[in-house]
Amino acid sequence: MQIHTLKDIDSVAKAVAEALILCVSNTLQQRDYFSIVLSGGSTPKKLYELLATEEYKNKIDWNKLYIFWGDERFVPFNNERNNAKMAFDTLLNHVPVNREQVYIMQTGNITPEDSTKEYNNLVNHYLENKGVFDFVLLGMGDDGHTLSLFPGNEETIFEEKNQCISLWLPAQNMHRITLTYPPVNNAREIVFMVTGDNKSKVLKQVLQGDYNPLKYPSQIIKPGNGELHWFIDEDAASLLK
Ligand code: 6PG
């Protein structure tokens, strides 16, 4: 595991953009496809906006990418809380992705159960034919959750039969769809982006406290053969030894 502490969120976004560009270009020298799992929430917005700028957008062969999401709030695509909408608004509408290779978690005219089944099949099909995910981008909540694996939710945190599950999140009065830990832990490169002093307490627990993924679900993320990188800013890192 490598921890990269940068000054602020802009520096974190720049560092992650460069790590992604390097990973994509190295991989596309060996084969003609690359898979990335995008995160939702607010932290990655700066990264997505940066990747869409003139300076960065031509550094990635977008039409070779297969794009997935780590989790989704079960709200319509045009709802501001929808993770896929955020990624399209900030990045995917501005770069030449192949829409046939962009797999959103469906949230319209479908039940959470059916959407989960569909996504499970999509992920299984990709992994069986193309192999593990190349790059998984994750965020972490100030309660230590990642993806939609929330503290105390034993069933979702330790699920390993399915690649994707749905859950009811009472605190937000909504369903969520989320990848489970296995397809993430099998990935080649896993990158957490965590910024802000509101994350400093939980980050200290996650990185330097006892292993307790039921309480701190981000701890369930441990790569098998791949690499795990934490890109954090000084505020989030302020309590680390
Ligand atoms: C989501 C995310 C979630 C996110 C964390 C951090 O749907 O909310 O996928 O896991 O990464 O909640 O969110 P922020 O980046 O907004 O702090």
Side-chain angles (χ1 to χ4, degrees):
M1 169 170 79
Q2 287 183 52
I3 299 174
H4 314 266
T5 304
L6 289 307
K7 191 166 134 328
D8 54 24
I9 188 164
D10 289 323
S11 319
V12 165
K14 195 166 177 306
V16 174
E18 279 155 17
L20 174 62
I21 288 161
L22 185 65
C23 192
V24 174
S25 80
N26 289 344
T27 305
L28 293 183
Q29 280 163 28
Q30 318 291 329
R31 51 174 150 92
D32 66 349
Y33 61 89
F34 182 90
S35 54
I36 182 168
V37 177
L38 297 180
S39 170
S42 55
T43 306
K45 275 186 188 161
K46 288 265 180 192
L47 167 66
Y48 299 163
E49 288 163 351
L50 185 64
L51 289 170
T53 60
E54 283 311 314
E55 187 194 348
Y56 278 84
K57 69 196 303 184
N58 300 318
K59 295 182 177 188
I60 289 180
D61 216 345
W62 295 98
N63 66 6
K64 299 250 175 44
L65 266 54
Y66 286 76
I67 300 172
F68 297 83
W69 271 263
D71 73 331
E72 189 54 273
R73 294 94 177 263
F74 204 78
V75 291
F77 178 81
N78 60 6
N79 181 305
E80 284 309 314
R81 301 185 69 185
N82 185 284
N83 288 333
K85 177 183 186 324
M86 185 274 277
F88 272 94
D89 290 349
T90 53
L91 174 58
L92 302 180
N93 283 331
H94 310 286
V95 290
V97 291
N98 174 349
R99 293 293 175 102
E100 308 277 303
Q101 294 167 194
V102 178
Y103 304 103
I104 69 171
M105 294 170 163
Q106 295 299 330
T107 58
N109 306 321
I110 192 168
T111 64
E113 295 68 30
D114 288 347
S115 180
T116 303
K117 242 184 250 143
E118 182 184 292
Y119 215 72
N120 242 312
N121 293 338
L122 269 175
V123 170
N124 276 324
H125 185 261
Y126 180 85
L127 298 180
E128 280 157 18
N129 289 283
K130 301 262 187 204
V132 298
F133 288 137
D134 292 306
F135 194 97
V136 177
L137 186 64
L138 297 174
M140 184 186 73
D142 57 11
D143 60 355
H145 84 261
T146 189
L147 300 163
S148 285
L149 307 179
F150 287 87
N153 201 326
E154 196 162 353
E155 225 175 279
T156 58
I157 296 167
F158 298 106
E159 166 67 34
E160 45 191 29
K161 206 164 57 60
N162 295 294
Q163 314 280 12
C164 178
I165 51 173
S166 63
L167 61 130
W168 172 252
L169 188 61
Q172 294 183 7
N173 195 30
M174 68 159 69
H175 282 96
R176 290 279 188 120
I177 300 187
T178 185
L179 292 186
T180 53
Y181 79 81
V184 174
N185 284 356
N186 289 332
R188 289 178 49 230
E189 194 153 336
I190 307 169
V191 167
F192 271 98
M193 273 180 90
V194 181
T195 61
D197 52 21
N198 64 314
K199 308 276 176 86
S200 59
K201 248 176 98 195
V202 73
L203 188 62
K204 179 170 176 57
Q205 285 303 325
V206 167
L207 293 180
Q208 298 176 342
D210 295 340
Y211 181 65
N212 183 358
L214 185 60
K215 195 166 175 202
Y216 303 109
S218 294
Q219 291 182 327
I220 199 87
I221 302 300
K222 287 189 294 170
N225 305 316
E227 293 176 13
L228 172 59
H229 294 268
W230 288 81
F231 288 85
I232 62 182
D233 70 356
E234 287 170 0
D235 286 343
S238 59
L239 298 178
L240 296 181
K241 278 196 281 294

